[in-house]
Amino acid sequence: THELLEDTDIFTVSFFDPKYKKNMVVYGQKSGRDTDKEAISGFTLEKKGEGVGFKEAKKTLVCRKLYKQTLDTNLMPQDIIEKHGNPRFFISILFSKNAVKPTIISL
């Protein structure tokens, strides 16, 4: 996901009804490099504006990257590190623009 966001200025964020929770598990557990996540999840990709989303999504935000900055994990409070794990996962923060409001995505 990080590499994909680095390579493009457009990305999408999709929201699903709770009934799709089991279908979504594959997206947090498998790499798309060696797994056909859509085949496993049963979701259908479709064009959404300048991006790609899922037909089954309740809502999809098409976002344009406006700003990116590498976080200084040495300044991160210890309680956050203890709760969320190794700070190497907190690499960048994206500020984006979409039709609803600015969005902050932590990578």
Side-chain angles (χ1 to χ4, degrees):
T1 303
H2 184 260
E3 291 172 5
L4 294 173
L5 287 169
E6 286 290 317
D7 292 343
T8 185
D9 287 337
I10 302 292
F11 64 96
T12 58
V13 180
S14 296
F15 300 88
F16 293 85
D17 284 328
K19 69 181 180 181
Y20 290 113
K21 186 174 183 176
K22 288 183 180 179
N23 302 71
M24 296 171 58
V25 170
V26 68
Y27 291 93
Q29 294 179 342
K30 303 282 185 180
S31 168
R33 290 183 181 96
D34 52 344
T35 303
D36 184 349
K37 294 181 182 185
E38 287 69 46
I40 294 170
S41 71
F43 291 150
T44 308
L45 291 173
E46 69 177 1
K47 187 134 178 77
K48 300 279 189 176
E50 294 180 59
V52 177
F54 298 98
K55 183 178 182 181
E56 296 79 8
K58 183 177 184 177
K59 176 81 173 171
T60 298
L61 302 178
V62 179
C63 306
R64 181 175 305 280
K65 188 177 0 173
L66 298 177
Y67 174 77
K68 185 190 92 158
Q69 177 178 335
T70 301
L71 296 176
D72 184 349
T73 56
N74 293 320
L75 301 175
M76 189 174 291
Q78 187 62 33
D79 62 321
I80 292 175
I81 294 170
E82 290 170 3
K83 182 176 180 180
H84 298 286
N86 190 325
R88 67 186 172 88
F89 294 111
F90 301 99
I91 298 169
S92 301
I93 191 163
L94 291 176
F95 289 87
S96 67
K97 179 180 179 181
N98 60 52
V100 180
K101 63 181 181 178
T103 305
I104 301 173
I105 306 290
S106 177
L107 305 173

